[in-house]
Amino acid sequence: MTIVDHFETFHGLPVFTLPEPGEEALPAAGDVAWRLDCYAAGEIPFAKLWRGFADRVPSAQVRALVIGPWWDDEYTELRPALELIVAEAERFPALRALFLADVTGEECEISWLQLTDITPVLKRFPLLEELGVRGGASQGLGWGDQEWRYVAVSE
């Protein structure tokens, strides 16, 4: 994976970007890694995209989730989107893989991706086997500028 392209597979599953409502039939919830992208969804706010995802896809069967651009117009930090995801963790008992910020350099300079403390993800999703994070020089992460981390969380 590079910062030029989006994931094609994640956690051994093909990545499927959630389309705008009515655009195409959806695959079975556990057969793909679901990618949420505010641009691909018609430039809607992440909260609306998240609600649409929850309404259209049986969340209890989702095994992998990829978060693309979470802003619809002007860039905003990840925290509000992450808070929505973490707040509804119980709706995703089968979730084993999560990637935050599947964003290309063309969509946003990686150094500008200001992330947030991701500790709540690990607390609310204790069964995660994979966690990926891409971002810039965000305070509190200590990972340096323009890096991405991909971590196997459990054996």
Side-chain angles (χ1 to χ4, degrees):
M1 181 195 68
T2 69
I3 60 171
V4 177
D5 300 304
H6 293 290
F7 280 113
E8 291 183 18
T9 62
F10 180 61
H11 197 62
L13 300 167
V15 173
F16 180 82
T17 301
L18 184 71
E20 292 183 60
E23 280 199 8
E24 62 182 274
L26 300 179
D31 290 351
V32 298
W34 291 91
R35 185 171 184 280
L36 303 183
D37 179 331
C38 289
Y39 289 146
E43 297 188 22
I44 63 172
F46 186 82
K48 185 174 180 181
L49 177 63
W50 181 254
R51 292 287 158 245
F53 173 63
D55 291 345
R56 296 166 60 196
V57 176
S59 58
Q61 299 169 17
V62 172
R63 299 185 309 156
L65 189 57
V66 177
I67 305 301
W70 56 87
W71 60 94
D72 58 319
D73 186 22
E74 291 189 30
Y75 175 81
T76 60
E77 68 174 329
L78 178 63
R79 187 181 40 76
L82 191 60
E83 287 173 352
L84 283 172
I85 296 166
V86 168
E88 295 192 4
E90 69 281 347
R91 294 184 65 181
F92 296 87
L95 191 69
R96 298 297 180 268
L98 176 63
F99 192 91
L100 302 171
D102 179 28
V103 176
T104 66
E106 187 174 299
E107 292 166 329
C108 180
E109 291 293 329
I110 302 304
S111 63
W112 298 349
L113 290 174
Q114 297 303 303
L115 300 178
T116 187
D117 180 9
I118 60 168
T119 305
V121 170
L122 296 171
K123 290 180 179 178
R124 296 284 288 151
F125 295 99
L127 299 178
L128 279 181
E129 297 168 1
E130 296 182 72
L131 173 62
V133 181
R134 178 185 287 156
S138 183
Q139 295 190 22
L141 292 177
W143 292 350
D145 190 34
Q146 298 187 36
E147 284 193 35
W148 68 275
R149 296 289 183 189
Y150 186 69
V151 180
V153 180
S154 66
E155 296 182 32

Short mmCIF file of all heavy atoms in Angstrom, two decimals, residues 25-76:
data_model
loop_
_atom_site.label_atom_id
_atom_site.label_comp_id
_atom_site.label_asym_id
_atom_site.label_seq_id
_atom_site.Cartn_x
_atom_site.Cartn_y
_atom_site.Cartn_z
N ALA A 25 -26.24 -2.34 -5.70
CA ALA A 25 -26.54 -3.33 -4.67
C ALA A 25 -25.33 -3.46 -3.74
O ALA A 25 -24.19 -3.32 -4.16
CB ALA A 25 -26.85 -4.68 -5.33
N LEU A 26 -25.61 -3.75 -2.49
CA LEU A 26 -24.55 -3.88 -1.50
C LEU A 26 -24.19 -5.35 -1.31
O LEU A 26 -25.07 -6.22 -1.32
CB LEU A 26 -24.98 -3.28 -0.17
CG LEU A 26 -25.34 -1.80 -0.17
CD1 LEU A 26 -25.77 -1.37 1.22
CD2 LEU A 26 -24.17 -0.96 -0.65
N PRO A 27 -22.92 -5.64 -1.10
CA PRO A 27 -22.51 -7.02 -0.81
C PRO A 27 -22.93 -7.42 0.60
O PRO A 27 -23.35 -6.58 1.39
CB PRO A 27 -20.99 -6.97 -0.95
CG PRO A 27 -20.63 -5.55 -0.65
CD PRO A 27 -21.79 -4.72 -1.13
N ALA A 28 -22.79 -8.69 0.92
CA ALA A 28 -23.07 -9.16 2.27
C ALA A 28 -22.11 -8.46 3.24
O ALA A 28 -20.94 -8.22 2.93
CB ALA A 28 -22.90 -10.67 2.35
N ALA A 29 -22.60 -8.12 4.40
CA ALA A 29 -21.85 -7.30 5.36
C ALA A 29 -20.50 -7.88 5.74
O ALA A 29 -19.53 -7.15 5.93
CB ALA A 29 -22.69 -7.07 6.61
N GLY A 30 -20.39 -9.20 5.87
CA GLY A 30 -19.14 -9.82 6.29
C GLY A 30 -18.22 -10.22 5.16
O GLY A 30 -17.14 -10.75 5.41
N ASP A 31 -18.63 -9.97 3.92
CA ASP A 31 -17.83 -10.40 2.76
C ASP A 31 -16.82 -9.37 2.27
O ASP A 31 -16.01 -9.67 1.39
CB ASP A 31 -18.75 -10.76 1.59
CG ASP A 31 -19.53 -12.04 1.84
OD1 ASP A 31 -19.24 -12.74 2.84
OD2 ASP A 31 -20.42 -12.34 1.04
N VAL A 32 -16.88 -8.16 2.80
CA VAL A 32 -16.00 -7.09 2.34
C VAL A 32 -15.48 -6.28 3.53
O VAL A 32 -16.04 -6.34 4.62
CB VAL A 32 -16.72 -6.13 1.35
CG1 VAL A 32 -17.16 -6.84 0.10
CG2 VAL A 32 -17.89 -5.43 2.03
N ALA A 33 -14.44 -5.53 3.27
CA ALA A 33 -13.99 -4.50 4.20
C ALA A 33 -14.71 -3.22 3.76
O ALA A 33 -14.52 -2.77 2.62
CB ALA A 33 -12.48 -4.33 4.14
N TRP A 34 -15.52 -2.67 4.59
CA TRP A 34 -16.33 -1.51 4.25
C TRP A 34 -15.50 -0.24 4.35
O TRP A 34 -14.89 0.02 5.38
CB TRP A 34 -17.55 -1.41 5.17
CG TRP A 34 -18.50 -2.51 4.90
CD1 TRP A 34 -18.53 -3.73 5.51
CD2 TRP A 34 -19.54 -2.51 3.94
NE1 TRP A 34 -19.53 -4.49 4.98
CE2 TRP A 34 -20.18 -3.77 4.01
CE3 TRP A 34 -20.01 -1.58 3.01
CZ2 TRP A 34 -21.25 -4.10 3.19
CZ3 TRP A 34 -21.08 -1.91 2.21
CH2 TRP A 34 -21.69 -3.16 2.31
N ARG A 35 -15.50 0.53 3.27
CA ARG A 35 -14.76 1.80 3.25
C ARG A 35 -15.75 2.95 3.24
O ARG A 35 -16.63 3.03 2.38
CB ARG A 35 -13.86 1.88 2.02
CG ARG A 35 -13.00 3.11 2.00
CD ARG A 35 -11.95 3.02 0.87
NE ARG A 35 -11.07 4.16 0.94
CZ ARG A 35 -11.38 5.36 0.48
NH1 ARG A 35 -12.54 5.59 -0.11
NH2 ARG A 35 -10.52 6.36 0.60
N LEU A 36 -15.62 3.83 4.22
CA LEU A 36 -16.47 5.01 4.30
C LEU A 36 -15.66 6.22 3.87
O LEU A 36 -14.58 6.48 4.40
CB LEU A 36 -16.99 5.20 5.73
CG LEU A 36 -17.76 4.03 6.31
CD1 LEU A 36 -18.28 4.37 7.70
CD2 LEU A 36 -18.89 3.60 5.40
N ASP A 37 -16.16 6.94 2.88
CA ASP A 37 -15.45 8.04 2.26
C ASP A 37 -16.46 9.13 1.94
O ASP A 37 -17.35 8.94 1.11
CB ASP A 37 -14.77 7.51 0.98
CG ASP A 37 -14.02 8.56 0.20
OD1 ASP A 37 -14.37 9.75 0.25
OD2 ASP A 37 -13.07 8.17 -0.50
N CYS A 38 -16.33 10.26 2.61
CA CYS A 38 -17.29 11.35 2.41
C CYS A 38 -17.29 11.89 0.99
O CYS A 38 -18.33 12.34 0.51
CB CYS A 38 -17.01 12.48 3.40
SG CYS A 38 -17.44 12.04 5.09
N TYR A 39 -16.17 11.84 0.29
CA TYR A 39 -16.14 12.28 -1.11
C TYR A 39 -16.91 11.32 -2.00
O TYR A 39 -17.74 11.71 -2.81
CB TYR A 39 -14.71 12.39 -1.63
CG TYR A 39 -13.91 13.53 -1.05
CD1 TYR A 39 -12.55 13.39 -0.84
CD2 TYR A 39 -14.49 14.74 -0.74
CE1 TYR A 39 -11.80 14.43 -0.32
CE2 TYR A 39 -13.75 15.78 -0.22
CZ TYR A 39 -12.41 15.62 -0.02
OH TYR A 39 -11.66 16.65 0.49
N ALA A 40 -16.62 10.03 -1.86
CA ALA A 40 -17.25 9.02 -2.71
C ALA A 40 -18.75 8.93 -2.45
O ALA A 40 -19.51 8.51 -3.32
CB ALA A 40 -16.61 7.66 -2.48
N ALA A 41 -19.17 9.32 -1.27
CA ALA A 41 -20.59 9.25 -0.91
C ALA A 41 -21.36 10.49 -1.31
O ALA A 41 -22.50 10.69 -0.89
CB ALA A 41 -20.73 8.99 0.59
N GLY A 42 -20.76 11.36 -2.09
CA GLY A 42 -21.48 12.55 -2.54
C GLY A 42 -21.19 13.77 -1.70
O GLY A 42 -22.01 14.69 -1.62
N GLU A 43 -20.01 13.80 -1.07
CA GLU A 43 -19.58 14.93 -0.25
C GLU A 43 -20.59 15.27 0.84
O GLU A 43 -21.03 16.41 0.98
CB GLU A 43 -19.26 16.15 -1.12
CG GLU A 43 -18.09 15.89 -2.06
CD GLU A 43 -17.62 17.12 -2.79
OE1 GLU A 43 -17.87 18.24 -2.32
OE2 GLU A 43 -16.99 16.95 -3.84
N ILE A 44 -20.93 14.27 1.62
CA ILE A 44 -21.82 14.47 2.75
C ILE A 44 -21.02 14.44 4.04
O ILE A 44 -19.94 13.86 4.09
CB ILE A 44 -22.96 13.42 2.78
CG1 ILE A 44 -22.39 12.01 2.97
CG2 ILE A 44 -23.80 13.49 1.52
CD1 ILE A 44 -23.44 10.96 3.20
N PRO A 45 -21.51 15.05 5.10
CA PRO A 45 -20.80 15.03 6.38
C PRO A 45 -20.66 13.59 6.90
O PRO A 45 -21.52 12.74 6.66
CB PRO A 45 -21.69 15.85 7.31
CG PRO A 45 -22.56 16.66 6.42
CD PRO A 45 -22.73 15.86 5.16
N PHE A 46 -19.57 13.34 7.64
CA PHE A 46 -19.31 12.00 8.12
C PHE A 46 -20.45 11.47 8.99
O PHE A 46 -20.82 10.30 8.89
CB PHE A 46 -17.98 11.91 8.89
CG PHE A 46 -17.65 10.50 9.27
CD1 PHE A 46 -17.04 9.66 8.34
CD2 PHE A 46 -17.95 9.99 10.52
CE1 PHE A 46 -16.76 8.33 8.66
CE2 PHE A 46 -17.66 8.67 10.85
CZ PHE A 46 -17.06 7.84 9.92
N ALA A 47 -21.03 12.31 9.84
CA ALA A 47 -22.11 11.85 10.71
C ALA A 47 -23.28 11.30 9.87
O ALA A 47 -23.86 10.26 10.20
CB ALA A 47 -22.59 12.98 11.61
N LYS A 48 -23.60 11.96 8.78
CA LYS A 48 -24.68 11.49 7.91
C LYS A 48 -24.26 10.21 7.17
O LYS A 48 -25.06 9.28 7.04
CB LYS A 48 -25.06 12.58 6.90
CG LYS A 48 -26.24 12.22 6.05
CD LYS A 48 -26.66 13.38 5.16
CE LYS A 48 -27.85 12.99 4.31
NZ LYS A 48 -28.26 14.09 3.44
N LEU A 49 -23.02 10.14 6.73
CA LEU A 49 -22.51 8.94 6.08
C LEU A 49 -22.54 7.76 7.05
O LEU A 49 -22.96 6.65 6.70
CB LEU A 49 -21.08 9.18 5.59
CG LEU A 49 -20.36 8.00 4.95
CD1 LEU A 49 -21.07 7.54 3.69
CD2 LEU A 49 -18.91 8.38 4.66
N TRP A 50 -22.12 7.99 8.29
CA TRP A 50 -22.10 6.95 9.31
C TRP A 50 -23.52 6.44 9.59
O TRP A 50 -23.76 5.25 9.67
CB TRP A 50 -21.45 7.48 10.59
CG TRP A 50 -21.37 6.47 11.68
CD1 TRP A 50 -22.15 6.42 12.81
CD2 TRP A 50 -20.49 5.36 11.76
NE1 TRP A 50 -21.79 5.35 13.59
CE2 TRP A 50 -20.77 4.68 12.95
CE3 TRP A 50 -19.50 4.87 10.92
CZ2 TRP A 50 -20.09 3.53 13.34
CZ3 TRP A 50 -18.81 3.72 11.31
CH2 TRP A 50 -19.11 3.07 12.50
N ARG A 51 -24.47 7.34 9.71
CA ARG A 51 -25.87 6.95 9.95
C ARG A 51 -26.40 6.14 8.76
O ARG A 51 -27.11 5.15 8.93
CB ARG A 51 -26.76 8.16 10.18
CG ARG A 51 -26.49 8.88 11.44
CD ARG A 51 -26.99 8.12 12.68
NE ARG A 51 -26.27 8.59 13.84
CZ ARG A 51 -25.43 7.87 14.56
NH1 ARG A 51 -25.20 6.62 14.27
NH2 ARG A 51 -24.80 8.38 15.58
N GLY A 52 -26.09 6.58 7.55
CA GLY A 52 -26.52 5.85 6.36
C GLY A 52 -25.92 4.46 6.31
O GLY A 52 -26.59 3.50 5.94
N PHE A 53 -24.66 4.34 6.68
CA PHE A 53 -23.99 3.04 6.74
C PHE A 53 -24.71 2.14 7.76
O PHE A 53 -25.04 1.00 7.46
CB PHE A 53 -22.52 3.25 7.13
CG PHE A 53 -21.76 1.99 7.39
CD1 PHE A 53 -21.56 1.05 6.39
CD2 PHE A 53 -21.20 1.75 8.64
CE1 PHE A 53 -20.82 -0.10 6.63
CE2 PHE A 53 -20.47 0.62 8.89
CZ PHE A 53 -20.29 -0.32 7.89
N ALA A 54 -24.97 2.67 8.93
CA ALA A 54 -25.63 1.90 9.98
C ALA A 54 -27.04 1.49 9.58
O ALA A 54 -27.51 0.41 9.96
CB ALA A 54 -25.67 2.72 11.28
N ASP A 55 -27.72 2.31 8.79
CA ASP A 55 -29.08 2.00 8.34
C ASP A 55 -29.10 0.96 7.22
O ASP A 55 -30.06 0.21 7.09
CB ASP A 55 -29.80 3.26 7.85
CG ASP A 55 -30.13 4.22 8.96
OD1 ASP A 55 -30.07 3.83 10.15
OD2 ASP A 55 -30.42 5.39 8.65
N ARG A 56 -28.05 0.94 6.39
CA ARG A 56 -28.05 0.09 5.19
C ARG A 56 -27.32 -1.23 5.35
O ARG A 56 -27.56 -2.16 4.58
CB ARG A 56 -27.41 0.86 4.04
CG ARG A 56 -28.20 2.08 3.64
CD ARG A 56 -27.43 3.02 2.73
NE ARG A 56 -27.01 2.42 1.48
CZ ARG A 56 -26.09 2.95 0.69
NH1 ARG A 56 -25.49 4.07 1.02
NH2 ARG A 56 -25.76 2.35 -0.43
N VAL A 57 -26.41 -1.32 6.30
CA VAL A 57 -25.55 -2.51 6.43
C VAL A 57 -25.75 -3.14 7.81
O VAL A 57 -25.69 -2.42 8.81
CB VAL A 57 -24.07 -2.12 6.23
CG1 VAL A 57 -23.15 -3.31 6.44
CG2 VAL A 57 -23.87 -1.51 4.84
N PRO A 58 -25.96 -4.45 7.88
CA PRO A 58 -26.08 -5.12 9.18
C PRO A 58 -24.75 -5.06 9.94
O PRO A 58 -23.85 -5.86 9.71
CB PRO A 58 -26.45 -6.56 8.84
CG PRO A 58 -26.86 -6.55 7.40
CD PRO A 58 -26.18 -5.38 6.77
N SER A 59 -24.63 -4.10 10.83
CA SER A 59 -23.34 -3.81 11.48
C SER A 59 -22.81 -4.99 12.30
O SER A 59 -21.60 -5.13 12.45
CB SER A 59 -23.46 -2.57 12.35
OG SER A 59 -24.48 -2.74 13.33
N ALA A 60 -23.67 -5.83 12.80
CA ALA A 60 -23.21 -6.97 13.61
C ALA A 60 -22.38 -7.96 12.81
O ALA A 60 -21.66 -8.77 13.38
CB ALA A 60 -24.41 -7.68 14.24
N GLN A 61 -22.45 -7.89 11.48
CA GLN A 61 -21.71 -8.81 10.63
C GLN A 61 -20.45 -8.19 10.01
O GLN A 61 -19.67 -8.88 9.36
CB GLN A 61 -22.62 -9.31 9.51
CG GLN A 61 -23.83 -10.06 10.01
CD GLN A 61 -24.84 -10.30 8.89
OE1 GLN A 61 -24.53 -10.18 7.72
NE2 GLN A 61 -26.06 -10.61 9.28
N VAL A 62 -20.23 -6.91 10.22
CA VAL A 62 -19.08 -6.22 9.63
C VAL A 62 -17.80 -6.68 10.32
O VAL A 62 -17.67 -6.61 11.54
CB VAL A 62 -19.24 -4.69 9.76
CG1 VAL A 62 -17.97 -3.96 9.33
CG2 VAL A 62 -20.44 -4.22 8.95
N ARG A 63 -16.85 -7.17 9.51
CA ARG A 63 -15.58 -7.68 10.04
C ARG A 63 -14.43 -6.70 9.88
O ARG A 63 -13.46 -6.76 10.63
CB ARG A 63 -15.21 -9.00 9.36
CG ARG A 63 -16.27 -10.08 9.60
CD ARG A 63 -15.88 -11.42 9.04
NE ARG A 63 -15.46 -11.34 7.64
CZ ARG A 63 -14.67 -12.24 7.06
NH1 ARG A 63 -14.21 -13.26 7.73
NH2 ARG A 63 -14.35 -12.13 5.78
N ALA A 64 -14.51 -5.83 8.90
CA ALA A 64 -13.41 -4.89 8.65
C ALA A 64 -13.99 -3.55 8.19
O ALA A 64 -14.95 -3.51 7.43
CB ALA A 64 -12.46 -5.45 7.61
N LEU A 65 -13.36 -2.49 8.65
CA LEU A 65 -13.83 -1.14 8.35
C LEU A 65 -12.63 -0.26 8.02
O LEU A 65 -11.61 -0.29 8.72
CB LEU A 65 -14.56 -0.59 9.58
CG LEU A 65 -15.31 0.70 9.48
CD1 LEU A 65 -16.37 0.68 8.39
CD2 LEU A 65 -15.97 1.02 10.83
N VAL A 66 -12.75 0.49 6.93
CA VAL A 66 -11.71 1.40 6.47
C VAL A 66 -12.32 2.79 6.40
O VAL A 66 -13.34 2.99 5.73
CB VAL A 66 -11.19 0.97 5.08
CG1 VAL A 66 -10.16 1.97 4.56
CG2 VAL A 66 -10.62 -0.44 5.11
N ILE A 67 -11.70 3.73 7.08
CA ILE A 67 -12.21 5.10 7.08
C ILE A 67 -11.35 5.93 6.13
O ILE A 67 -10.15 6.10 6.33
CB ILE A 67 -12.17 5.72 8.50
CG1 ILE A 67 -12.93 4.84 9.49
CG2 ILE A 67 -12.72 7.15 8.46
CD1 ILE A 67 -14.40 4.62 9.15
N GLY A 68 -11.98 6.41 5.06
CA GLY A 68 -11.32 7.29 4.10
C GLY A 68 -11.49 8.73 4.54
O GLY A 68 -11.63 9.00 5.73
N PRO A 69 -11.52 9.67 3.61
CA PRO A 69 -11.71 11.07 3.99
C PRO A 69 -13.00 11.24 4.79
O PRO A 69 -14.08 10.86 4.35
CB PRO A 69 -11.80 11.79 2.64
CG PRO A 69 -10.98 10.94 1.72
CD PRO A 69 -11.27 9.53 2.16
N TRP A 70 -12.89 11.77 5.98
CA TRP A 70 -14.03 11.93 6.88
C TRP A 70 -14.56 13.36 6.86
O TRP A 70 -15.47 13.69 7.59
CB TRP A 70 -13.62 11.55 8.31
CG TRP A 70 -12.44 12.33 8.80
CD1 TRP A 70 -12.46 13.56 9.41
CD2 TRP A 70 -11.07 11.96 8.69
NE1 TRP A 70 -11.18 13.98 9.69
CE2 TRP A 70 -10.30 13.00 9.25
CE3 TRP A 70 -10.41 10.85 8.17
CZ2 TRP A 70 -8.92 12.96 9.31
CZ3 TRP A 70 -9.03 10.82 8.23
CH2 TRP A 70 -8.30 11.85 8.80
N TRP A 71 -14.02 14.17 6.00
CA TRP A 71 -14.51 15.55 5.86
C TRP A 71 -15.20 15.65 4.50
O TRP A 71 -14.87 14.97 3.56
CB TRP A 71 -13.35 16.54 5.98
CG TRP A 71 -12.30 16.35 4.95
CD1 TRP A 71 -12.19 17.00 3.76
CD2 TRP A 71 -11.20 15.43 4.99
NE1 TRP A 71 -11.11 16.55 3.05
CE2 TRP A 71 -10.48 15.58 3.79
CE3 TRP A 71 -10.75 14.49 5.91
CZ2 TRP A 71 -9.34 14.84 3.50
CZ3 TRP A 71 -9.63 13.75 5.62
CH2 TRP A 71 -8.94 13.93 4.42
N ASP A 72 -16.21 16.52 4.44
CA ASP A 72 -17.00 16.63 3.21
C ASP A 72 -16.64 17.86 2.39
O ASP A 72 -16.87 17.89 1.19
CB ASP A 72 -18.50 16.63 3.52
CG ASP A 72 -18.90 17.74 4.45
OD1 ASP A 72 -18.16 18.02 5.42
OD2 ASP A 72 -19.95 18.36 4.23
N ASP A 73 -16.11 18.88 2.98
CA ASP A 73 -15.78 20.10 2.25
C ASP A 73 -14.39 20.54 2.67
O ASP A 73 -13.42 20.23 2.01
CB ASP A 73 -16.83 21.17 2.53
CG ASP A 73 -16.62 22.42 1.70
OD1 ASP A 73 -15.96 22.35 0.65
OD2 ASP A 73 -17.10 23.49 2.12
N GLU A 74 -14.30 21.22 3.77
CA GLU A 74 -13.00 21.62 4.30
C GLU A 74 -12.53 20.58 5.31
O GLU A 74 -13.32 20.01 6.06
CB GLU A 74 -13.11 22.99 4.95
CG GLU A 74 -13.34 24.10 3.94
CD GLU A 74 -13.23 25.47 4.58
OE1 GLU A 74 -12.47 25.62 5.55
OE2 GLU A 74 -13.92 26.38 4.09
N TYR A 75 -11.22 20.37 5.33
CA TYR A 75 -10.63 19.38 6.21
C TYR A 75 -10.99 19.65 7.67
O TYR A 75 -10.97 20.79 8.12
CB TYR A 75 -9.10 19.38 6.06
CG TYR A 75 -8.45 18.45 7.03
CD1 TYR A 75 -8.39 17.09 6.78
CD2 TYR A 75 -7.93 18.92 8.23
CE1 TYR A 75 -7.81 16.22 7.68
CE2 TYR A 75 -7.36 18.06 9.14
CZ TYR A 75 -7.30 16.71 8.86
OH TYR A 75 -6.75 15.85 9.77
N THR A 76 -11.33 18.61 8.40
CA THR A 76 -11.54 18.68 9.84
C THR A 76 -10.76 17.53 10.48
O THR A 76 -10.48 16.52 9.83
CB THR A 76 -13.03 18.56 10.22
OG1 THR A 76 -13.53 17.30 9.74
CG2 THR A 76 -13.84 19.69 9.64
#
